[in-house]
Amino acid sequence: MDVLSDLLQRAQASDALVRQIIARGPWSVTYADVPSLSVVATLGGSAWLRLDDGVPTMLAAGDIALITGVGSYTIADDPATPAYYVIRGGQKYTIDGEPVEWRGEYLAPRTYGDGLPGATTMVRGAYDLRGDVGRRVLELLPPLAVVSGTPQNRPALDLLTTEVAREEPGQDAVLRRLLDFVLVLALRAWCANAELPSWYQALSAPGIGDALRHLHDDPAHRWSVAELAAKVGLSRATFAARFTKLVGQPPLTYLTAWRMTLAADLLRTTTAPVAAVARQVGYEDPFAFSVAFKRTYDESPTTWRGRGR
């Protein structure tokens, strides 16, 4: 498995919310208390997206917006349209905080709006990425990343908007995988032109990308620099120098950091004993694991687990 796929698989929560809006202006919706990552795609027409109280950004048909690390954002037909409603915790409120029933706006499963001719059609998906692995994914993105519509992305968006309005067995699983697909397409397009962390840039480097894949495929293995170099067909010295230059860390330093990232999430999300967590990330000696963990997080695994819960 490639490194980006590994990060996404480890980081995502088991559920994802997908909803469709089909509405003709004027309209404006604010999403509050949003998850760590939202995916907003304009399928027909255009819309304006504003983070918190920031500058509005126009989304044309086919555009995909990735939103991270914000408290709220607003989608509207026009920047001048005043705020109408706030969605918080799945409940609709007026801007004054009064609950509002979803009357007359339910067009199909997971689909809201008026459905009138000339309406804008949008799909919104939301994830809550987990722990330190999720943080690595979010580090790839600014608060708002907009990917322009392309012919390559359109079939995935069309399929997502078709499926979001259906209700059949396994529908949530289908939507989750389609949303994953759209997310990966958008991430790949954004990362092709953005200034990214050194480890991501190294994924496409000959030999180094393969080495990163080996480390992510089997982080518990007792890797040595010599073994990694042999795996990718480079001399030990050449591999170590190239890895350090491209990734920004020596190979085994990167491996330790990745092991600690995995361990931090295991301590938060499982009840496995510290010794079992240590073995899962490559440490036979729980004491050595605790020393390495404390060096990274400034507290013991037990304290980290207690504080996280």
Side-chain angles (χ1 to χ4, degrees):
M1 181 183 296
D2 68 86
V3 175
L4 180 57
S5 297
D6 182 42
L7 286 173
L8 290 169
Q9 180 173 306
R10 293 179 187 271
Q12 289 177 15
S14 59
D15 55 349
L17 178 72
V18 184
R19 296 291 184 267
Q20 182 173 221
I21 302 171
I22 305 175
R24 188 172 65 176
W27 58 271
S28 176
V29 181
T30 296
Y31 295 92
D33 301 332
V34 295
S36 56
L37 174 61
S38 296
V39 183
V40 176
T42 308
L43 304 167
S46 62
W48 289 83
L49 175 63
R50 185 180 70 250
L51 306 186
D52 296 324
D53 295 321
V55 178
T57 298
M58 191 185 84
L59 300 179
D63 288 355
I64 303 172
L66 304 178
I67 306 163
T68 65
V70 299
S72 67
Y73 58 87
T74 299
I75 308 173
D77 69 302
D78 188 275
T81 301
Y84 283 9
Y85 301 111
V86 177
I87 309 299
R88 180 183 293 109
Q91 173 65 51
K92 182 179 179 181
Y93 299 88
T94 67
I95 58 172
D96 296 323
E98 295 296 323
V100 178
E101 293 185 22
W102 295 93
R103 290 182 298 183
E105 299 180 346
Y106 184 74
L107 302 176
R110 309 174 190 83
T111 303
Y112 300 88
D114 52 42
L116 296 174
T120 294
T121 302
M122 305 192 71
V123 168
R124 172 183 174 268
Y127 294 100
D128 222 349
L129 299 191
R130 290 195 297 242
D132 278 30
V133 177
R135 175 181 54 78
R136 285 204 174 201
V137 176
L138 297 176
E139 283 175 352
L140 296 173
L141 296 165
L144 174 61
V146 178
V147 175
S148 298
T150 66
Q152 291 78 17
N153 294 345
R154 189 69 206 198
L157 294 178
D158 288 342
L159 186 56
L160 179 60
T161 192
T162 298
E163 290 293 332
V164 76
R166 300 176 67 181
E167 192 65 272
E168 296 183 14
Q171 198 67 27
D172 287 339
V174 169
L175 290 174
R176 169 60 186 271
R177 283 157 179 78
L178 288 174
L179 185 61
D180 286 348
F181 185 29
V182 171
L183 171 62
V184 171
L185 289 175
L187 274 175
R188 191 164 59 188
W190 173 260
C191 291
N193 300 297
E195 184 176 341
L196 299 166
S198 55
W199 65 262
Y200 185 89
Q201 299 178 44
L203 295 180
S204 58
I208 307 307
D210 289 334
L212 287 166
R213 178 175 56 80
H214 287 305
L215 294 178
H216 278 252
D217 282 349
D218 193 1
H221 182 73
R222 299 184 67 177
W223 292 105
S224 67
V225 175
E227 184 180 7
L228 282 168
K231 286 274 190 183
V232 299
L234 297 172
S235 72
R236 185 184 185 282
T238 298
F239 167 73
R242 188 176 297 174
F243 189 104
T244 302
K245 179 181 179 180
L246 294 176
V247 179
Q249 296 175 305
L252 299 188
T253 302
Y254 177 90
L255 174 60
T256 298
W258 177 234
R259 284 172 167 175
M260 294 304 104
T261 296
L262 297 178
D265 286 351
L266 286 169
L267 289 166
R268 277 188 173 136
T269 60
T270 74
T271 58
V274 170
V277 172
R279 286 192 296 272
Q280 286 188 61
V281 298
Y283 287 82
E284 291 298 326
D285 181 359
F287 178 76
F289 164 72
S290 295
V291 170
F293 190 91
K294 189 169 185 178
R295 188 182 299 120
T296 302
Y297 290 99
D298 294 324
E299 55 189 10
S300 70
T302 302
T303 302
W304 172 271
R305 166 173 275 171
R307 185 169 60 81
R309 291 182 175 175

